[in-house]
Structure formats: C-alpha cells, structure tokens
Amino acid sequence: MADNEGRRVLVEQLRATFDPASLEFECTDELTPLVDFVGQDRAIRSLQFGLGMHKPGYNIFVTGMTGTGKATAILGYIQRRIEERRGIDAYDIRDWCYVHNFDEPDQPRVLSLKPGQGRELRDHLETLIGEIRGNLSRVFTSEDYERQRRLIFERSQGQAEALMGEAQKKAEEAGFALSFTPAGPSIFPLKDGRPMTGEEFAALTQDEREALVERQRPMTQVVAESVEGLRALEREVAAAVGAFDRSVVETIVRSPLEVLEAHYSDEPAVVDFVRQLREYSVKSADTLRLLAAAPAMPQQIQDMAMAAMPDPFLAFRVNIIVDNSGMQTPPIIIEPNPTYSNLFGRIDRKAQMGTYLSDHTMLKPGAVHRANGGYLILHFMDVITKPGAWEGLRRVIRTRELRIEDPTEQLGIFTPQTLRPEAAPVDVKLIVTGDPLSYFMLSGDELFWEMFKVKADFDFQIPRTPLNAVAYAGFVCAICDRESLRHFERSAIGRLVEYGSRTVDDQQKLSARFGRLRDLIIESDYWAAQDDAPRVRGEHVQRAIEERIYRVNLVEERLREMIARGTLMIDTAGAVVGQVNGLSVIALGDLSFGRPSRITARTYLGQRGVVSIDRESKLSGRIHDKGVLVLGGYLGAKYGQERPLSLSATISFEQGYDPIDGDSASLAETCSILSALSGLAVRQDLAITGSMNQKGEVQPIGGVNQKIEGFFDVCKAIGLTGTQGVIVPRRNLANLMLREDVVAAVASGQFAVYEVSSVDEAIEILTGASAGERDAEGKYPEGSVHHLVEQKLKQMAEAMKRASGPQRNAAAAANGAPEAPGEPPPDEPPPAPPDIPA
C-alpha cells in the first residue's frame, strides 16, 4: 500500500495571502495618486523609443490583453512626455486650409499656415467680402458710373449713325432704300423717290427686273461692310464697357488685397493666392456688377438670378479644416469610430437646379487631418472592421500625404461632380492598439513591418512585489480621486492584491488588467456605501467579488444541482474500475468555473490501440487528440518493449455533448486505462487533472483553481466526507490561489489537495496500490499496478495469438500451404481466452 500523505499540499501553499500590516499607510488618502505604468518596463521602453524616433515608419503597434488600460495609459504618457519637453522641442504645429484653385476649380488648393493664421485669413477675407460688396454696390449704382457708361454708348452711337448714314446715301444713289432694324438690314428698290410696292415690282418686265438685280448686286457688298462695321462698333463698346467695369473693380479691390498681401508676406503660398484672387476679381467684373445691381431688382427676380448665378465671392472663402489656434503642443487624437470618412475626411454636396454641386468649402476633415503634426491613437479591431479604413491608413503612411476622396469612387460607384482636392503632406505618429493575435496575423505582411517598426507589448501580469503592491494602492488612490469614491483601508488593498494574483492564477504575479481592477474598486465603494462606512474595508472588496460572481454563475449552479440530483453522473464516494473523475474548465464570457466529468475506459482484445470516442464522434479538438496519442506512446514505451501490444481500448467523457479540447485530461485518461487493465478500482472521492508526456511526467495545466473549486463545490453539495480531494500537477503549486472556504476545508481536514509529478504517483493515490518499479531482472513487484497491467497485456497477447492461429491455418489451406506448426488443428476449437476484466 502506498503512503500518499506525503503528497498532500500544505494549507499555506494553497493561497498566497497578503499581510496588510506590511503596508506603511492606513488608508489610500495618504498616498499620491499613481500616474505611471505599473510593472510595464518593456512596454515603456518601446514607447519611449517609438515616440522619440522621428523617422518614417516608426509607428507603434501596442499589444496586450483587453483591460490592461493601454489606450488610456498611452494617452497619459504622451501628454506627460510633451509637458516634460515643453520649451525644449520646437513643435511644428500648423493650420490647414483649403482655398479656391483659379487654374483648376475642381482641384482645391491646400494651404499650411501658422497656428491662428488660418482663422485670421478667413476673417480678413470675410470682412473684405463685405467691404467689396458694399463698395461695388455703391459705385455700380452711382450716377457718375452711369454717366461715364452712357458716354461710351453715346460715342459709339454717333459712329454707328454715321456708318449707317453713309451706307444709306450709297443706296439712294443706286436707287435703293436701306433701313437698319434689330432684325438686320433691309434694302428696297425706289420708284419716284419712294420704296416700290409689291404690285409695282410685279408689273416690271423681265428685262427691268434683271436690270434691277444687276444694279442691286454692288449694294450687297455695301450692306455687308456696314453690318460688319456695326458689329465691330458693338465689340468695341463691349470691350470699353468691360474695361471700364474692370478698372472700377480693380480700383476697389487693389488696395485691400495689397494690404492683405503685405500682411502675409512671410507666407509665399498666401501671397500667391491673394495675387490670383485680385486677377480673378478683375476678370469677374461683369458678375460682380450684376451682383451689385441685384438689390435693385424685385425680390423674386433677385432670388432667381442669384440661384442661377455662381457665387462670385466663393473664391474669397477659406475653408479651415484644421484650426490649431492657441495650440502650443502637438495634437493627440483618439478616434473611437475610425470609418473611412472619419479618418480621411469627406466631400459634402448640396442639391441645386436638379443636380448635386460641391466646392472647396464643403471639404470636411478627418482624424488624420486633426492629428497632423501630432499623434493619432486607434484600436486595430475598430479600424479593420471599417471598409477601406485599413487600406487608407497604409496608403497615407506609405505616401506621407492625405487626399480627401469620396470612398465610393474606390468601389467604382458614380459620384456627381467629384472634386480632387490637393493632397496635404502628413507627419503623424500613428499608435494602434490591438491584441497579440492581431499582431501575429499582420506580421506576415511585409508592408506592415514598414508601417510599424516598433512593438510595445503590455503584459497582462506583473511581478507581485512590495513595490507593485504599493503601486496597486496608488492606482486605487487615483481612481478614488478621479471618481469621487471612498478611499481604501489597507485591509482592502490586501484583498485587491490577493484578487490580482487570483485573476492571473499565480502566487508570484499580479494582474495588470487595470480596467477590471477599476470596476472592482467602484463596486467595492458601492458596498461600503450600503454599510454607511466612511472607508472601504477588506470585507467590502470581498463582498464585491462574491456579488460579481453571483450575478453571472447561474449556469454553474445549475450544473452543480444536476450533479447533486444525479442527472449528471459523478460519484464522490466509493471506488470503480476504469472510471476516473476528470476536471475541465467552462468559460462563459466573464465567468469560468470547473466542472467534474466522468472519464471511463474499456479494454478488450484487438490491436486498435487507444481510441477516443470523443475524437471518433468529432467532439474533440486537436490538442485533446494529441493528448490521446501521447497516452498511446506512454503505454507502448512502458509495456511494449518485449512484445507488441495486443490492446484495444476506448476512453470517453461520459455525458459530454459539447466539443472538448486541451490535454489536461490526459493524466486522468491514462489512469482510467491502467485501472481497467490492472483491475484495480479507482477512488471516486478524488478528481484529477494534469497533462502528461510520453515519459509519464505530469505537466502543468491551466485553470487549476477553478478545477479544484469545481470539484469541492460538487462534494460540498453532495456532502463532504473528509476523504475527498483533488490531484493536481506539482508544477501548478505556484498557481494555487484558492478561495478561502476551500482553504478552510483543507485546514479542517474535510478536503485535500494532492500534488504529483508522474503517472506512478497519481495512480498510487487513486488506487492505494504501489505503482512498482522494475528490478534488476526487469520485473515489476507482485501486486503492483504495473505488474498487474503487464500480466493482463501478456494474457491478451496470448489470447490474440491463439485466436489468430485457426484463421492463419484456414487461409494457408485455401492457398495450398501446410498448416502452421504448433497450432491446433483447424477442426478443433481454440481454447477460450481468459476472463479479461473491463
């Protein structure tokens, strides 16, 4: 009989408690709020490098589990870094504007100005519009303007009358009358000094008509020359009037635009724009005159005219897409909804006269525009789920310029009156947060490496040191101040530290998922408020933890109830051959709990080896299948050195109808097969978990605390007997952070936790028999587990040999070969195989 007491885990090893007396404060209100990262030295160094490297491609991809506070911490870190370097670095912060392009109106120009100059230029030009509009209206409606304009027409009219008089005189000399009408010139033959009537013309003889036509032919040329002369006069008048109007407009706009040009003399792009604006204003004199005359029209006619007329002052308007007025530090932009338009801007349109129109004033900025010259923080999953957003980011980083485009154009969808704004140069430090799997998936893309040369990896756990325990308290202090919560006594901090270790299942680590820790802090304050306590104590933190579990563990309770009622068959007492209580973890979102499962093994003659029923029914994953194959390797190495194994065995998770995966049941499966082969019954008051390798060594597994507690809760529901317990891998002892009620049950002798490092140790605890070791002759001790298994395998091999003899002889006889020697004759039945317990 094996002595298993030495494998009991000591009570003090089941949970790493924290002594609040080790803290040098009574309450967190004595502390300075934490503003730095906790235990993230690797990530901090990566951030420092990435933020300090001002070269293309040195953007930062931040990895880490959700809830580690990456985005919030990064934002705070960047802000502190900027404040620390204020006055050291000269940040190049600019305003960004779009203005009219006089050469290509559908390609608006981009202007980069000093902070505040964009708004200043816009206001100057808006003021100028009002001044010019008023001056134009006053001048174009003045009597002096009308008089000078009338003089131009009067001079032209005299020249036209002289030209027409000369033509009419030539016509009279030729016997014709010439008149000029709005419809064109008309010529008639004369008779007795008056135009000939139709009857008189009809009474003419053929010779008279031909003579009249011959005499009229030279007059055609005279009329044509007169008409051309009149048209030339009209063009001269129009040119003179246009020149006069342009001179008026130029006189009005020259002075204010020259002042504006001088004001922005240090901005060549603005100077060039103002000069083009003056030329444009002069060329638009006709439109400006009509606009000035509009107020004198009836309102209905005025509205129709204005709707049909393009805005002559559109070119004066400045569209500020990024206004950094008053900014002294680079912008830090966090875009929570990174759609294509939210990132790269959009082109708005308005309906007019049955169509959609757009201009440079309808260009809207995106997050990349606002972050230009600074930092843009995005979450990878938010970007990758928005059509075109990730590809757009790649293009911006590669080309280092940003062009506002309609996203539908990239899909080949027709868009009315599309603008092609000039691309703006981009200098932005891109910081993308994501999980490690996303980074791994993207790392195969060569362009990804060119985009993100820096990886900042936030660990989900940090060392459990006295310094980090104090940092936990500083974090609590910061949350209490920020959220106006009650401060925490050191007993509550002790509970939080233990909770941090429990969360990561490690006695030497603390959780770095400060988002979840923040939630627990807020909930603990709530329960302190229910007690009217001025401060949060340890029991309030414990209450918050228990209440959080109670809110979500309905499924766990239902499964435990089904086990207690016998619906799910789990034995917690007695002993059964080939049956072991295995342990698994069920994860349901924010809840994970342990569930016992009955694992059974059956053995029989054959050579199929170990067959997993769950695998054959396609209910198992690849890792579980690997564990079954490892089990077969262990059996072959252990018992198949002298003869081939003649074994068929099936193992099954009974009443398991959901997919299973993982190799943490491979130790339990091995023990169930050893029990079935040896005939030794397995204790049902024990459950076991652990992975194993082909050498029979037990390997650590995950979820050890939930597994132990799951079996404890089942035993408690059915009734604790004092003999129940769980067998776990020795290498998992550092992961034990059991609930206090489980620890108390172990301390009082109602429950036990055993640790093992090999299959031999596990089977000894489960069966109470010695596993056995080979002696010098290679034999196992009588009655040991391995001896019984080996003997059973020998019996099965002999039975297989006897059963296969008649089959071989029958096949040989059919082929004309002699019978195999030493085998029973074909007409004699083979001896019955020995009784093989399942």
Side-chain angles (χ1 to χ4, degrees):
M1 183 70 66
D3 182 12
N4 299 318
E5 292 303 314
R7 298 195 181 99
R8 282 180 177 262
V9 180
L10 301 178
V11 175
E12 53 269 21
Q13 294 178 286
L14 300 178
R15 180 183 180 89
T17 58
F18 183 83
D19 184 8
S22 63
L23 299 173
E24 297 180 355
F25 59 88
E26 292 294 332
C27 185
T28 55
D29 57 5
E30 305 171 21
L31 303 177
T32 302
L34 181 72
V35 295
D36 294 320
F37 295 102
V38 180
Q40 301 286 0
D41 296 339
R42 186 188 308 275
I44 290 176
R45 289 178 61 178
S46 298
L47 283 175
Q48 290 173 340
F49 173 75
L51 296 176
M53 179 64 74
H54 300 290
K55 297 295 181 182
Y58 281 88
N59 300 296
I60 307 172
F61 197 99
V62 183
T63 62
M65 294 182 66
T66 303
T68 52
K70 301 185 295 297
T72 303
I74 291 168
L75 177 61
Y77 182 79
I78 295 175
Q79 290 173 335
R80 291 194 300 274
R81 182 180 181 275
I82 291 175
E83 288 298 323
E84 291 170 358
R85 299 195 63 81
R86 183 187 290 270
I88 299 177
D89 293 338
Y91 296 113
D92 186 19
I93 307 171
R94 308 287 289 178
D95 284 349
W96 294 92
C97 312
Y98 271 103
V99 296
H100 183 72
N101 187 338
F102 299 96
D103 299 324
E104 299 289 345
D106 62 340
Q107 299 179 18
R109 291 179 55 193
V110 64
L111 292 182
S112 172
L113 303 172
K114 297 175 183 177
Q117 282 192 339
R119 181 182 297 182
E120 186 181 70
L121 177 63
R122 180 196 62 190
D123 295 344
H124 278 167
L125 289 174
E126 289 294 334
T127 303
L128 192 60
I129 289 174
E131 294 177 358
I132 293 175
R133 187 191 294 270
N135 291 336
L136 289 173
S137 180
R138 185 177 62 257
V139 170
F140 282 130
T141 57
S142 66
E143 292 182 0
D144 183 63
Y145 171 78
E146 290 296 334
R147 181 180 57 80
Q148 295 189 46
R149 184 183 176 91
R150 192 165 51 250
L151 287 175
I152 295 174
F153 282 106
E154 287 176 353
R155 286 195 297 269
S156 172
Q157 185 176 0
Q159 294 175 357
E161 289 177 351
L163 183 62
M164 289 187 293
E166 180 68 23
Q168 289 172 340
K169 181 179 178 181
K170 291 180 179 180
E172 289 178 0
E173 292 175 352
F176 292 94
L178 176 62
S179 64
F180 291 90
T181 65
S186 300
I187 187 168
F188 302 95
L190 293 175
K191 181 178 182 181
D192 298 331
R194 59 177 178 77
M196 185 181 296
T197 65
E199 292 79 4
E200 293 173 336
F201 181 79
L204 294 176
T205 64
Q206 183 65 28
D207 293 339
E208 290 174 335
R209 289 182 183 179
E210 291 178 357
L212 183 62
V213 171
E214 186 66 24
R215 201 167 33 155
Q216 184 182 356
R217 187 172 288 114
M219 290 307 304
T220 304
Q221 181 64 28
V222 172
V223 172
E225 292 175 356
S226 300
V227 171
E228 182 60 31
L230 291 174
R231 290 175 178 171
L233 282 175
E234 290 179 0
R235 288 194 293 269
E236 290 176 6
V237 170
V241 172
F244 175 57
D245 289 345
R246 287 192 294 273
S247 67
V248 171
V249 172
E250 185 174 11
T251 302
I252 292 173
V253 303
R254 181 193 302 115
S255 179
L257 288 179
E258 285 179 349
V259 172
L260 194 64
E261 185 178 328
H263 183 76
Y264 293 96
S265 58
D266 59 340
E267 293 289 348
V270 178
V271 171
D272 180 63
F273 169 70
V274 173
R275 288 175 180 173
Q276 289 185 310
L277 186 60
R278 185 170 65 183
E279 296 174 2
Y280 166 81
S281 301
V282 173
K283 293 178 181 178
S284 304
D286 289 344
T287 305
L288 293 174
R289 182 178 61 81
L290 293 174
L291 182 67
M297 303 176 184
Q299 186 63 44
Q300 184 176 1
I301 298 176
Q302 178 182 335
D303 293 341
M304 293 176 61
M306 295 298 292
M309 182 190 307
D311 182 6
F313 292 107
L314 179 63
F316 286 76
R317 305 189 190 279
V318 176
N319 180 12
I320 307 175
I321 61 171
V322 178
D323 185 3
N324 283 322
S325 303
M327 290 282 293
Q328 298 179 353
T329 57
I332 306 172
I333 304 298
I334 300 178
E335 179 52 63
N337 184 28
T339 62
Y340 189 92
S341 297
N342 287 350
L343 281 177
F344 312 115
R346 69 181 188 275
I347 304 174
D348 285 348
R349 294 177 176 82
K350 63 181 178 182
Q352 182 176 339
M353 305 295 288
T355 185
Y356 289 93
L357 303 178
S358 185
D359 55 63
H360 70 278
T361 63
M362 299 183 195
L363 300 177
K364 304 301 180 182
V368 179
H369 290 100
R370 299 193 301 273
N372 204 358
Y375 306 88
L376 176 61
I377 303 175
L378 303 171
H379 184 58
F380 174 73
M381 290 307 299
D382 292 337
V383 178
I384 202 68
T385 55
K386 305 299 188 297
W390 183 251
E391 290 301 321
L393 274 179
R394 287 158 54 114
R395 183 167 56 252
V396 167
I397 294 175
R398 184 178 68 253
T399 61
R400 304 194 70 191
E401 65 178 22
L402 174 60
R403 187 188 305 275
I404 301 179
E405 297 176 311
D406 196 315
T408 57
E409 293 181 28
Q410 303 179 24
L411 302 177
I413 301 175
F414 172 74
T415 54
Q417 193 180 347
T418 300
L419 295 180
R420 294 286 296 170
E422 182 183 2
V426 171
D427 180 17
V428 62
K429 180 70 71 172
L430 180 60
I431 303 169
V432 175
T433 64
D435 53 73
L437 179 59
S438 298
Y439 182 85
F440 174 76
M441 292 172 59
L442 292 170
S443 59
D445 184 359
E446 196 64 33
L447 183 58
F448 176 77
W449 290 107
E450 295 299 320
M451 292 170 57
F452 296 96
K453 297 181 183 291
V454 181
K455 176 187 178 184
D457 198 357
F458 278 73
D459 199 352
F460 69 95
Q461 59 186 13
I462 58 178
R464 177 171 164 171
T465 63
L467 182 62
N468 284 341
V470 174
Y472 252 45
F475 176 75
V476 173
C477 178
I479 296 299
C480 291
D481 289 348
R482 188 185 311 155
E483 304 288 343
S484 300
L485 306 177
R486 294 165 178 78
H487 278 274
F488 280 48
E489 294 182 356
R490 59 184 182 182
S491 63
I493 298 299
R495 287 290 183 180
L496 286 176
V497 171
E498 293 177 1
Y499 172 80
S501 292
R502 161 72 182 211
T503 303
V504 295
D505 289 336
D506 197 319
Q507 298 180 355
Q508 301 173 5
K509 299 287 185 180
L510 293 173
S511 172
R513 304 183 73 175
F514 290 98
R516 296 190 174 185
L517 186 63
R518 172 184 173 276
D519 295 340
L520 182 60
I521 293 170
I522 295 175
E523 293 170 18
S524 300
D525 173 78
Y526 171 83
W527 294 112
Q530 302 306 303
D531 288 347
D532 291 328
R535 294 175 175 175
V536 179
R537 300 189 299 270
E539 57 263 31
H540 298 136
V541 177
Q542 185 63 32
R543 175 75 182 277
I545 295 171
E546 293 172 354
E547 290 289 339
R548 175 182 287 186
I549 295 173
Y550 180 75
R551 291 194 296 268
V552 298
N553 73 338
L554 178 62
V555 175
E556 179 184 7
E557 288 189 0
R558 289 291 179 266
L559 287 174
R560 191 161 57 240
E561 179 183 333
M562 293 173 69
I563 293 174
R565 295 173 60 181
T567 305
L568 292 178
M569 296 185 293
I570 298 293
D571 293 333
T572 59
V576 180
V577 174
Q579 179 175 301
V580 177
N581 289 326
L583 295 170
S584 60
V585 174
I586 297 177
L588 301 174
D590 53 356
L591 172 68
S592 61
F593 59 92
R595 174 198 168 181
S597 298
R598 173 179 289 180
I599 300 175
T600 60
R602 305 292 286 176
T603 59
Y604 49 90
L605 291 179
Q607 293 181 327
R608 293 189 62 190
V610 179
V611 176
S612 169
I613 294 178
D614 298 283
R615 176 184 179 181
E616 294 300 312
S617 57
K618 296 181 171 42
L619 284 177
S620 64
R622 291 179 296 178
I623 299 177
H624 175 266
D625 296 341
K626 176 186 175 182
V628 174
L629 296 175
V630 168
L631 189 165
Y634 166 78
L635 294 176
K638 194 77 172 178
Y639 307 110
Q641 298 298 321
E642 297 181 358
R643 64 186 60 82
L645 291 183
S646 297
L647 169 69
S648 288
T650 57
I651 52 176
S652 174
F653 280 74
E654 303 297 351
Q655 292 184 292
Y657 310 108
D658 297 322
I660 59 173
D661 203 0
D663 61 351
S664 63
S666 57
L667 178 60
E669 292 169 333
T670 302
C671 291
S672 66
I673 289 181
L674 294 180
S675 170
L677 289 172
S678 65
L680 297 173
V682 172
R683 292 175 56 182
Q684 300 300 293
D685 55 357
L686 297 178
I688 185 170
T689 181
S691 168
M692 59 169 284
N693 58 29
Q694 295 187 97
K695 298 168 62 177
E697 298 170 332
V698 177
Q699 303 167 146
I701 44 84
V704 63
N705 293 296
Q706 290 85 348
K707 292 176 179 179
I708 295 174
E709 292 165 358
F711 190 68
F712 171 81
D713 290 337
V714 168
C715 293
K716 184 177 179 181
I718 297 175
L720 293 173
T721 63
T723 64
Q724 296 150 333
V726 175
I727 302 172
V728 300
R730 179 175 301 164
R731 292 174 175 82
N732 275 121
L733 293 184
N735 303 113
L736 294 178
M737 284 295 299
L738 295 174
R739 295 194 319 248
E740 290 187 329
D741 59 331
V742 181
V743 176
V746 174
S748 63
Q750 294 181 300
F751 199 71
V753 178
Y754 300 92
E755 49 86 10
V756 296
S757 59
S758 66
V759 174
D760 289 356
E761 294 175 354
I763 198 65
E764 287 179 350
I765 297 175
L766 288 172
T767 63
S770 173
E773 294 183 6
R774 294 186 185 274
D775 56 19
E777 298 179 358
K779 296 181 179 180
Y780 288 111
E782 291 283 342
S784 66
V785 176
H786 294 311
H787 175 263
L788 295 174
V789 171
E790 192 172 56
Q791 290 300 114
K792 181 60 63 177
L793 289 173
K794 287 181 180 179
Q795 295 174 12
M796 295 175 73
E798 292 172 357
M800 282 291 297
K801 184 177 179 181
R802 289 194 297 270
S804 61
Q807 299 175 4
R808 290 199 304 270
N809 287 332
N815 295 326
E819 297 180 2
E823 297 292 342
D827 56 348
E828 294 183 10
D835 184 23
I836 303 173

